[in-house]
Amino acid sequence: MTLLGAILAGGGSRRFGSPKTLARLHGQPLWQVAAERLEAVCDDVVAVVNHPRVADEVELETLPDRRPMMGPLGGIDAALGRALRDGHKAVLALAVDMPWVSTDALRRLADEWRAHGRPCVPRTGPPWGFHPLCAVYPLETLHRITDAMNMRRLESGPFARSLDPVVIDTGLTSSCFRSVNRPGDLPPPSFSIIGNKNSGKTTLSVSVIAELAARGRRVMSVKHGHHFRLDTPGTDSWRHRHEGRAERVLLAGPTEFALVGDWGPEGDPSLDLLLTRHLSEAEIVVVEGFRDAPVPKIEIYRAEAQPEPVVPPEEGRDRRVLGVVTDRPDLPWAVPVFDADAPDVAARVADLVEGWLL
């Protein structure tokens, strides 16, 4: 019951304006984001790519569509052909422009396929209630794809629905299955500064923000907070929101503004969704906290504040830690280490993140 992972990267990217397969999410190409997640779940991973220049830059085995101009079904067909050749029993397809689908969600699809032996798709919102380009297609569906292409029935949603798939609740909201169609759909390049309480996260964040701003970067920031309130009961803006029930209220003044509101029915959005919606004009974003968000990280660890760092020293590279600011350089760090008390620590951190993100 081996499973082939297939990155569907063969589109022309007309709306994006350049090959989106090579576009970067926080310094990482989209093909690599997809590859890392599929590699954690599948026995082998390939990318279906129809552009020679893009294929040259993707550091995976690549294969073109066997039948050109068939859209995503052509990519799934090519992947199933490769699976048949090498003895895999199914293909886990993932569109390259869906970088917010988690490894856990892909693993759940794979587990359900092994349990049921049928096509498995993740539950999402409209138009189909599931997503056909993040799905497990068993080898038995190959002849159905051939028939659909022969009849020029190329829409992937209706095709997947015709297979009577198992629809799986992966635990992700519909927004996690959104596609990157235009450059503005990607968040600005960002990194987070993480650390335990009293380790100096805010002091380091402020100094790095100041350093990047002094270099001419357009810097914005995000601070993860708990139980704070920005709107004072009885004020005009409070009345707009709580008496008038406005979903969001924008307070605009001559020199500053603030946006106040509720998250809505989906609850607390992901960091990337916040960045895309509210900080899209930033050249670089410094995030304080959000230690579990899938962005590059700088950890600050002081032995006097906490007995252990947030990320075990030997796991830093695998957990997307770019560097560590610390007073314990003797620990077995797997990433660059900076002296927490050095006068140029902010400049050195800024050099590191600029090199990675920009």
PDB file of all heavy atoms in Angstrom, residues 172-210:
ATOM      1  N   LEU A 172      -8.835  21.158   9.405  1.00  0.00           N
ATOM      2  CA  LEU A 172      -8.459  22.476   8.881  1.00  0.00           C
ATOM      3  C   LEU A 172      -9.694  23.255   8.468  1.00  0.00           C
ATOM      4  O   LEU A 172     -10.687  22.677   8.025  1.00  0.00           O
ATOM      5  CB  LEU A 172      -7.531  22.334   7.675  1.00  0.00           C
ATOM      6  CG  LEU A 172      -6.173  21.673   7.906  1.00  0.00           C
ATOM      7  CD1 LEU A 172      -5.382  21.656   6.603  1.00  0.00           C
ATOM      8  CD2 LEU A 172      -5.385  22.377   8.996  1.00  0.00           C
ATOM      9  N   THR A 173      -9.627  24.571   8.601  1.00  0.00           N
ATOM     10  CA  THR A 173     -10.696  25.426   8.108  1.00  0.00           C
ATOM     11  C   THR A 173     -10.576  25.568   6.593  1.00  0.00           C
ATOM     12  O   THR A 173      -9.525  25.283   5.994  1.00  0.00           O
ATOM     13  CB  THR A 173     -10.624  26.822   8.739  1.00  0.00           C
ATOM     14  OG1 THR A 173      -9.375  27.438   8.372  1.00  0.00           O
ATOM     15  CG2 THR A 173     -10.714  26.735  10.266  1.00  0.00           C
ATOM     16  N   SER A 174     -11.639  26.035   5.966  1.00  0.00           N
ATOM     17  CA  SER A 174     -11.636  26.189   4.506  1.00  0.00           C
ATOM     18  C   SER A 174     -10.536  27.130   4.032  1.00  0.00           C
ATOM     19  O   SER A 174      -9.996  26.961   2.932  1.00  0.00           O
ATOM     20  CB  SER A 174     -13.001  26.692   4.031  1.00  0.00           C
ATOM     21  OG  SER A 174     -14.003  25.730   4.271  1.00  0.00           O
ATOM     22  N   SER A 175     -10.196  28.127   4.851  1.00  0.00           N
ATOM     23  CA  SER A 175      -9.169  29.091   4.429  1.00  0.00           C
ATOM     24  C   SER A 175      -7.807  28.435   4.234  1.00  0.00           C
ATOM     25  O   SER A 175      -6.972  28.944   3.478  1.00  0.00           O
ATOM     26  CB  SER A 175      -9.056  30.236   5.443  1.00  0.00           C
ATOM     27  OG  SER A 175      -8.579  29.762   6.691  1.00  0.00           O
ATOM     28  N   CYS A 176      -7.570  27.300   4.881  1.00  0.00           N
ATOM     29  CA  CYS A 176      -6.291  26.613   4.723  1.00  0.00           C
ATOM     30  C   CYS A 176      -6.149  25.980   3.340  1.00  0.00           C
ATOM     31  O   CYS A 176      -5.047  25.603   2.944  1.00  0.00           O
ATOM     32  CB  CYS A 176      -6.129  25.545   5.794  1.00  0.00           C
ATOM     33  SG  CYS A 176      -6.008  26.201   7.474  1.00  0.00           S
ATOM     34  N   PHE A 177      -7.259  25.844   2.617  1.00  0.00           N
ATOM     35  CA  PHE A 177      -7.233  25.250   1.281  1.00  0.00           C
ATOM     36  C   PHE A 177      -7.299  26.312   0.184  1.00  0.00           C
ATOM     37  O   PHE A 177      -7.511  25.977  -0.982  1.00  0.00           O
ATOM     38  CB  PHE A 177      -8.384  24.256   1.127  1.00  0.00           C
ATOM     39  CG  PHE A 177      -8.260  23.063   2.032  1.00  0.00           C
ATOM     40  CD1 PHE A 177      -8.878  23.057   3.266  1.00  0.00           C
ATOM     41  CD2 PHE A 177      -7.507  21.963   1.665  1.00  0.00           C
ATOM     42  CE1 PHE A 177      -8.766  21.968   4.113  1.00  0.00           C
ATOM     43  CE2 PHE A 177      -7.390  20.873   2.502  1.00  0.00           C
ATOM     44  CZ  PHE A 177      -8.020  20.868   3.734  1.00  0.00           C
ATOM     45  N   ARG A 178      -7.118  27.585   0.550  1.00  0.00           N
ATOM     46  CA  ARG A 178      -7.161  28.644  -0.452  1.00  0.00           C
ATOM     47  C   ARG A 178      -5.939  28.552  -1.356  1.00  0.00           C
ATOM     48  O   ARG A 178      -4.884  28.022  -0.963  1.00  0.00           O
ATOM     49  CB  ARG A 178      -7.227  30.018   0.218  1.00  0.00           C
ATOM     50  CG  ARG A 178      -5.977  30.435   0.981  1.00  0.00           C
ATOM     51  CD  ARG A 178      -6.264  31.667   1.845  1.00  0.00           C
ATOM     52  NE  ARG A 178      -5.063  32.195   2.487  1.00  0.00           N
ATOM     53  CZ  ARG A 178      -4.569  31.720   3.623  1.00  0.00           C
ATOM     54  NH1 ARG A 178      -5.123  30.693   4.232  1.00  0.00           N
ATOM     55  NH2 ARG A 178      -3.486  32.278   4.153  1.00  0.00           N
ATOM     56  N   SER A 179      -6.067  29.081  -2.559  1.00  0.00           N
ATOM     57  CA  SER A 179      -4.999  29.006  -3.552  1.00  0.00           C
ATOM     58  C   SER A 179      -4.267  30.331  -3.679  1.00  0.00           C
ATOM     59  O   SER A 179      -4.838  31.407  -3.458  1.00  0.00           O
ATOM     60  CB  SER A 179      -5.579  28.621  -4.919  1.00  0.00           C
ATOM     61  OG  SER A 179      -6.178  27.348  -4.876  1.00  0.00           O
ATOM     62  N   VAL A 180      -3.014  30.244  -4.069  1.00  0.00           N
ATOM     63  CA  VAL A 180      -2.215  31.420  -4.397  1.00  0.00           C
ATOM     64  C   VAL A 180      -2.397  31.672  -5.892  1.00  0.00           C
ATOM     65  O   VAL A 180      -1.846  30.957  -6.727  1.00  0.00           O
ATOM     66  CB  VAL A 180      -0.731  31.190  -4.068  1.00  0.00           C
ATOM     67  CG1 VAL A 180       0.108  32.378  -4.542  1.00  0.00           C
ATOM     68  CG2 VAL A 180      -0.540  30.947  -2.587  1.00  0.00           C
ATOM     69  N   ASN A 181      -3.185  32.668  -6.241  1.00  0.00           N
ATOM     70  CA  ASN A 181      -3.431  32.997  -7.643  1.00  0.00           C
ATOM     71  C   ASN A 181      -2.686  34.239  -8.101  1.00  0.00           C
ATOM     72  O   ASN A 181      -2.359  34.379  -9.277  1.00  0.00           O
ATOM     73  CB  ASN A 181      -4.928  33.178  -7.885  1.00  0.00           C
ATOM     74  CG  ASN A 181      -5.701  31.888  -7.710  1.00  0.00           C
ATOM     75  OD1 ASN A 181      -5.273  30.840  -8.184  1.00  0.00           O
ATOM     76  ND2 ASN A 181      -6.822  31.950  -7.013  1.00  0.00           N
ATOM     77  N   ARG A 182      -2.443  35.158  -7.166  1.00  0.00           N
ATOM     78  CA  ARG A 182      -1.750  36.414  -7.462  1.00  0.00           C
ATOM     79  C   ARG A 182      -0.692  36.651  -6.399  1.00  0.00           C
ATOM     80  O   ARG A 182      -0.808  36.132  -5.279  1.00  0.00           O
ATOM     81  CB  ARG A 182      -2.742  37.579  -7.491  1.00  0.00           C
ATOM     82  CG  ARG A 182      -3.810  37.439  -8.579  1.00  0.00           C
ATOM     83  CD  ARG A 182      -4.865  38.528  -8.476  1.00  0.00           C
ATOM     84  NE  ARG A 182      -5.861  38.426  -9.549  1.00  0.00           N
ATOM     85  CZ  ARG A 182      -6.896  37.606  -9.526  1.00  0.00           C
ATOM     86  NH1 ARG A 182      -7.094  36.816  -8.467  1.00  0.00           N
ATOM     87  NH2 ARG A 182      -7.745  37.558 -10.544  1.00  0.00           N
ATOM     88  N   PRO A 183       0.342  37.449  -6.702  1.00  0.00           N
ATOM     89  CA  PRO A 183       1.378  37.711  -5.692  1.00  0.00           C
ATOM     90  C   PRO A 183       0.803  38.216  -4.375  1.00  0.00           C
ATOM     91  O   PRO A 183       1.318  37.890  -3.300  1.00  0.00           O
ATOM     92  CB  PRO A 183       2.269  38.755  -6.371  1.00  0.00           C
ATOM     93  CG  PRO A 183       2.130  38.464  -7.832  1.00  0.00           C
ATOM     94  CD  PRO A 183       0.698  38.044  -8.016  1.00  0.00           C
ATOM     95  N   GLY A 184      -0.282  39.004  -4.431  1.00  0.00           N
ATOM     96  CA  GLY A 184      -0.884  39.530  -3.216  1.00  0.00           C
ATOM     97  C   GLY A 184      -1.541  38.484  -2.343  1.00  0.00           C
ATOM     98  O   GLY A 184      -1.911  38.769  -1.193  1.00  0.00           O
ATOM     99  N   ASP A 185      -1.697  37.259  -2.851  1.00  0.00           N
ATOM    100  CA  ASP A 185      -2.251  36.183  -2.035  1.00  0.00           C
ATOM    101  C   ASP A 185      -1.222  35.606  -1.065  1.00  0.00           C
ATOM    102  O   ASP A 185      -1.579  34.860  -0.155  1.00  0.00           O
ATOM    103  CB  ASP A 185      -2.785  35.060  -2.926  1.00  0.00           C
ATOM    104  CG  ASP A 185      -3.984  35.493  -3.750  1.00  0.00           C
ATOM    105  OD1 ASP A 185      -4.715  36.399  -3.301  1.00  0.00           O
ATOM    106  OD2 ASP A 185      -4.189  34.933  -4.847  1.00  0.00           O
ATOM    107  N   LEU A 186       0.045  35.915  -1.294  1.00  0.00           N
ATOM    108  CA  LEU A 186       1.097  35.478  -0.382  1.00  0.00           C
ATOM    109  C   LEU A 186       1.345  36.546   0.678  1.00  0.00           C
ATOM    110  O   LEU A 186       1.313  37.745   0.376  1.00  0.00           O
ATOM    111  CB  LEU A 186       2.392  35.218  -1.145  1.00  0.00           C
ATOM    112  CG  LEU A 186       2.450  33.944  -1.983  1.00  0.00           C
ATOM    113  CD1 LEU A 186       3.690  33.951  -2.869  1.00  0.00           C
ATOM    114  CD2 LEU A 186       2.437  32.713  -1.093  1.00  0.00           C
ATOM    115  N   PRO A 187       1.611  36.160   1.914  1.00  0.00           N
ATOM    116  CA  PRO A 187       1.916  37.149   2.944  1.00  0.00           C
ATOM    117  C   PRO A 187       3.292  37.756   2.719  1.00  0.00           C
ATOM    118  O   PRO A 187       4.131  37.172   2.013  1.00  0.00           O
ATOM    119  CB  PRO A 187       1.885  36.327   4.239  1.00  0.00           C
ATOM    120  CG  PRO A 187       2.254  34.957   3.803  1.00  0.00           C
ATOM    121  CD  PRO A 187       1.649  34.778   2.433  1.00  0.00           C
ATOM    122  N   PRO A 188       3.555  38.921   3.291  1.00  0.00           N
ATOM    123  CA  PRO A 188       4.899  39.497   3.177  1.00  0.00           C
ATOM    124  C   PRO A 188       5.913  38.628   3.909  1.00  0.00           C
ATOM    125  O   PRO A 188       5.549  37.880   4.829  1.00  0.00           O
ATOM    126  CB  PRO A 188       4.752  40.869   3.848  1.00  0.00           C
ATOM    127  CG  PRO A 188       3.590  40.712   4.770  1.00  0.00           C
ATOM    128  CD  PRO A 188       2.655  39.761   4.100  1.00  0.00           C
ATOM    129  N   PRO A 189       7.189  38.693   3.518  1.00  0.00           N
ATOM    130  CA  PRO A 189       8.224  37.897   4.183  1.00  0.00           C
ATOM    131  C   PRO A 189       8.270  38.212   5.679  1.00  0.00           C
ATOM    132  O   PRO A 189       8.331  39.376   6.082  1.00  0.00           O
ATOM    133  CB  PRO A 189       9.515  38.328   3.486  1.00  0.00           C
ATOM    134  CG  PRO A 189       9.076  38.881   2.172  1.00  0.00           C
ATOM    135  CD  PRO A 189       7.739  39.509   2.416  1.00  0.00           C
ATOM    136  N   SER A 190       8.239  37.164   6.486  1.00  0.00           N
ATOM    137  CA  SER A 190       8.121  37.349   7.937  1.00  0.00           C
ATOM    138  C   SER A 190       8.980  36.333   8.685  1.00  0.00           C
ATOM    139  O   SER A 190       9.284  35.257   8.161  1.00  0.00           O
ATOM    140  CB  SER A 190       6.656  37.188   8.379  1.00  0.00           C
ATOM    141  OG  SER A 190       5.797  37.995   7.611  1.00  0.00           O
ATOM    142  N   PHE A 191       9.343  36.691   9.903  1.00  0.00           N
ATOM    143  CA  PHE A 191      10.010  35.755  10.808  1.00  0.00           C
ATOM    144  C   PHE A 191       9.558  36.085  12.223  1.00  0.00           C
ATOM    145  O   PHE A 191       9.140  37.208  12.511  1.00  0.00           O
ATOM    146  CB  PHE A 191      11.538  35.847  10.691  1.00  0.00           C
ATOM    147  CG  PHE A 191      12.125  37.108  11.253  1.00  0.00           C
ATOM    148  CD1 PHE A 191      12.672  37.147  12.526  1.00  0.00           C
ATOM    149  CD2 PHE A 191      12.122  38.277  10.505  1.00  0.00           C
ATOM    150  CE1 PHE A 191      13.201  38.320  13.046  1.00  0.00           C
ATOM    151  CE2 PHE A 191      12.648  39.461  11.016  1.00  0.00           C
ATOM    152  CZ  PHE A 191      13.195  39.484  12.288  1.00  0.00           C
ATOM    153  N   SER A 192       9.629  35.091  13.091  1.00  0.00           N
ATOM    154  CA  SER A 192       9.192  35.313  14.466  1.00  0.00           C
ATOM    155  C   SER A 192      10.373  35.230  15.422  1.00  0.00           C
ATOM    156  O   SER A 192      11.335  34.493  15.189  1.00  0.00           O
ATOM    157  CB  SER A 192       8.118  34.294  14.866  1.00  0.00           C
ATOM    158  OG  SER A 192       8.634  32.982  14.856  1.00  0.00           O
ATOM    159  N   ILE A 193      10.281  36.010  16.476  1.00  0.00           N
ATOM    160  CA  ILE A 193      11.245  35.955  17.579  1.00  0.00           C
ATOM    161  C   ILE A 193      10.544  35.249  18.729  1.00  0.00           C
ATOM    162  O   ILE A 193       9.520  35.726  19.240  1.00  0.00           O
ATOM    163  CB  ILE A 193      11.723  37.359  17.964  1.00  0.00           C
ATOM    164  CG1 ILE A 193      12.550  37.953  16.811  1.00  0.00           C
ATOM    165  CG2 ILE A 193      12.544  37.321  19.260  1.00  0.00           C
ATOM    166  CD1 ILE A 193      13.048  39.364  17.050  1.00  0.00           C
ATOM    167  N   ILE A 194      11.066  34.095  19.100  1.00  0.00           N
ATOM    168  CA  ILE A 194      10.428  33.273  20.119  1.00  0.00           C
ATOM    169  C   ILE A 194      11.352  33.115  21.316  1.00  0.00           C
ATOM    170  O   ILE A 194      12.563  33.283  21.215  1.00  0.00           O
ATOM    171  CB  ILE A 194      10.029  31.892  19.569  1.00  0.00           C
ATOM    172  CG1 ILE A 194      11.277  31.096  19.152  1.00  0.00           C
ATOM    173  CG2 ILE A 194       9.078  32.044  18.386  1.00  0.00           C
ATOM    174  CD1 ILE A 194      10.981  29.649  18.797  1.00  0.00           C
ATOM    175  N   GLY A 195      10.757  32.786  22.434  1.00  0.00           N
ATOM    176  CA  GLY A 195      11.529  32.568  23.658  1.00  0.00           C
ATOM    177  C   GLY A 195      10.590  32.402  24.831  1.00  0.00           C
ATOM    178  O   GLY A 195       9.406  32.731  24.752  1.00  0.00           O
ATOM    179  N   ASN A 196      11.122  31.898  25.915  1.00  0.00           N
ATOM    180  CA  ASN A 196      10.325  31.737  27.116  1.00  0.00           C
ATOM    181  C   ASN A 196      10.118  33.080  27.806  1.00  0.00           C
ATOM    182  O   ASN A 196      10.748  34.085  27.463  1.00  0.00           O
ATOM    183  CB  ASN A 196      11.003  30.748  28.066  1.00  0.00           C
ATOM    184  CG  ASN A 196      10.965  29.323  27.535  1.00  0.00           C
ATOM    185  OD1 ASN A 196       9.901  28.830  27.190  1.00  0.00           O
ATOM    186  ND2 ASN A 196      12.114  28.672  27.454  1.00  0.00           N
ATOM    187  N   LYS A 197       9.230  33.108  28.774  1.00  0.00           N
ATOM    188  CA  LYS A 197       8.922  34.328  29.503  1.00  0.00           C
ATOM    189  C   LYS A 197      10.188  34.901  30.148  1.00  0.00           C
ATOM    190  O   LYS A 197      11.023  34.166  30.679  1.00  0.00           O
ATOM    191  CB  LYS A 197       7.869  34.043  30.570  1.00  0.00           C
ATOM    192  CG  LYS A 197       7.337  35.279  31.256  1.00  0.00           C
ATOM    193  CD  LYS A 197       6.223  34.926  32.229  1.00  0.00           C
ATOM    194  CE  LYS A 197       5.670  36.180  32.899  1.00  0.00           C
ATOM    195  NZ  LYS A 197       4.585  35.846  33.866  1.00  0.00           N
ATOM    196  N   ASN A 198      10.325  36.231  30.049  1.00  0.00           N
ATOM    197  CA  ASN A 198      11.455  36.963  30.635  1.00  0.00           C
ATOM    198  C   ASN A 198      12.791  36.668  29.950  1.00  0.00           C
ATOM    199  O   ASN A 198      13.853  36.949  30.510  1.00  0.00           O
ATOM    200  CB  ASN A 198      11.587  36.672  32.142  1.00  0.00           C
ATOM    201  CG  ASN A 198      10.366  37.097  32.920  1.00  0.00           C
ATOM    202  OD1 ASN A 198       9.768  38.129  32.634  1.00  0.00           O
ATOM    203  ND2 ASN A 198       9.978  36.292  33.903  1.00  0.00           N
ATOM    204  N   SER A 199      12.737  36.133  28.729  1.00  0.00           N
ATOM    205  CA  SER A 199      13.985  35.854  28.018  1.00  0.00           C
ATOM    206  C   SER A 199      14.505  37.070  27.265  1.00  0.00           C
ATOM    207  O   SER A 199      15.664  37.085  26.844  1.00  0.00           O
ATOM    208  CB  SER A 199      13.774  34.699  27.036  1.00  0.00           C
ATOM    209  OG  SER A 199      12.748  35.014  26.114  1.00  0.00           O
ATOM    210  N   GLY A 200      13.638  38.079  27.079  1.00  0.00           N
ATOM    211  CA  GLY A 200      14.056  39.280  26.364  1.00  0.00           C
ATOM    212  C   GLY A 200      13.517  39.371  24.952  1.00  0.00           C
ATOM    213  O   GLY A 200      14.109  40.064  24.105  1.00  0.00           O
ATOM    214  N   LYS A 201      12.388  38.709  24.679  1.00  0.00           N
ATOM    215  CA  LYS A 201      11.820  38.731  23.316  1.00  0.00           C
ATOM    216  C   LYS A 201      11.511  40.145  22.852  1.00  0.00           C
ATOM    217  O   LYS A 201      11.829  40.522  21.727  1.00  0.00           O
ATOM    218  CB  LYS A 201      10.529  37.903  23.264  1.00  0.00           C
ATOM    219  CG  LYS A 201      10.673  36.424  23.452  1.00  0.00           C
ATOM    220  CD  LYS A 201       9.394  35.675  23.102  1.00  0.00           C
ATOM    221  CE  LYS A 201       8.213  36.099  23.964  1.00  0.00           C
ATOM    222  NZ  LYS A 201       8.389  35.758  25.379  1.00  0.00           N
ATOM    223  N   THR A 202      10.844  40.929  23.710  1.00  0.00           N
ATOM    224  CA  THR A 202      10.431  42.262  23.285  1.00  0.00           C
ATOM    225  C   THR A 202      11.635  43.161  23.048  1.00  0.00           C
ATOM    226  O   THR A 202      11.689  43.902  22.059  1.00  0.00           O
ATOM    227  CB  THR A 202       9.485  42.885  24.325  1.00  0.00           C
ATOM    228  OG1 THR A 202       8.321  42.061  24.448  1.00  0.00           O
ATOM    229  CG2 THR A 202       9.068  44.288  23.907  1.00  0.00           C
ATOM    230  N   THR A 203      12.620  43.104  23.934  1.00  0.00           N
ATOM    231  CA  THR A 203      13.820  43.930  23.768  1.00  0.00           C
ATOM    232  C   THR A 203      14.527  43.589  22.459  1.00  0.00           C
ATOM    233  O   THR A 203      14.928  44.486  21.697  1.00  0.00           O
ATOM    234  CB  THR A 203      14.774  43.726  24.952  1.00  0.00           C
ATOM    235  OG1 THR A 203      14.125  44.142  26.156  1.00  0.00           O
ATOM    236  CG2 THR A 203      16.049  44.539  24.774  1.00  0.00           C
ATOM    237  N   LEU A 204      14.666  42.301  22.171  1.00  0.00           N
ATOM    238  CA  LEU A 204      15.304  41.904  20.925  1.00  0.00           C
ATOM    239  C   LEU A 204      14.447  42.302  19.728  1.00  0.00           C
ATOM    240  O   LEU A 204      14.969  42.814  18.720  1.00  0.00           O
ATOM    241  CB  LEU A 204      15.542  40.391  20.913  1.00  0.00           C
ATOM    242  CG  LEU A 204      16.202  39.833  19.654  1.00  0.00           C
ATOM    243  CD1 LEU A 204      17.594  40.434  19.453  1.00  0.00           C
ATOM    244  CD2 LEU A 204      16.287  38.298  19.711  1.00  0.00           C
ATOM    245  N   SER A 205      13.129  42.108  19.825  1.00  0.00           N
ATOM    246  CA  SER A 205      12.240  42.474  18.718  1.00  0.00           C
ATOM    247  C   SER A 205      12.367  43.949  18.385  1.00  0.00           C
ATOM    248  O   SER A 205      12.493  44.336  17.211  1.00  0.00           O
ATOM    249  CB  SER A 205      10.785  42.140  19.068  1.00  0.00           C
ATOM    250  OG  SER A 205      10.606  40.760  19.272  1.00  0.00           O
ATOM    251  N   VAL A 206      12.331  44.796  19.391  1.00  0.00           N
ATOM    252  CA  VAL A 206      12.410  46.245  19.177  1.00  0.00           C
ATOM    253  C   VAL A 206      13.739  46.624  18.534  1.00  0.00           C
ATOM    254  O   VAL A 206      13.782  47.436  17.592  1.00  0.00           O
ATOM    255  CB  VAL A 206      12.213  46.994  20.511  1.00  0.00           C
ATOM    256  CG1 VAL A 206      12.530  48.473  20.350  1.00  0.00           C
ATOM    257  CG2 VAL A 206      10.782  46.817  21.018  1.00  0.00           C
ATOM    258  N   SER A 207      14.819  46.027  19.002  1.00  0.00           N
ATOM    259  CA  SER A 207      16.131  46.396  18.456  1.00  0.00           C
ATOM    260  C   SER A 207      16.288  45.916  17.010  1.00  0.00           C
ATOM    261  O   SER A 207      16.883  46.616  16.177  1.00  0.00           O
ATOM    262  CB  SER A 207      17.251  45.831  19.339  1.00  0.00           C
ATOM    263  OG  SER A 207      17.205  44.420  19.390  1.00  0.00           O
ATOM    264  N   VAL A 208      15.737  44.743  16.684  1.00  0.00           N
ATOM    265  CA  VAL A 208      15.826  44.254  15.311  1.00  0.00           C
ATOM    266  C   VAL A 208      14.931  45.075  14.385  1.00  0.00           C
ATOM    267  O   VAL A 208      15.310  45.399  13.250  1.00  0.00           O
ATOM    268  CB  VAL A 208      15.466  42.756  15.241  1.00  0.00           C
ATOM    269  CG1 VAL A 208      15.381  42.282  13.794  1.00  0.00           C
ATOM    270  CG2 VAL A 208      16.501  41.927  16.001  1.00  0.00           C
ATOM    271  N   ILE A 209      13.738  45.448  14.857  1.00  0.00           N
ATOM    272  CA  ILE A 209      12.864  46.327  14.073  1.00  0.00           C
ATOM    273  C   ILE A 209      13.576  47.637  13.764  1.00  0.00           C
ATOM    274  O   ILE A 209      13.574  48.123  12.622  1.00  0.00           O
ATOM    275  CB  ILE A 209      11.548  46.589  14.824  1.00  0.00           C
ATOM    276  CG1 ILE A 209      10.694  45.318  14.884  1.00  0.00           C
ATOM    277  CG2 ILE A 209      10.754  47.717  14.156  1.00  0.00           C
ATOM    278  CD1 ILE A 209       9.523  45.408  15.837  1.00  0.00           C
ATOM    279  N   ALA A 210      14.198  48.219  14.788  1.00  0.00           N
ATOM    280  CA  ALA A 210      14.908  49.489  14.599  1.00  0.00           C
ATOM    281  C   ALA A 210      16.062  49.342  13.613  1.00  0.00           C
ATOM    282  O   ALA A 210      16.293  50.220  12.769  1.00  0.00           O
ATOM    283  CB  ALA A 210      15.414  50.006  15.946  1.00  0.00           C
TER     284      ALA A 210
END
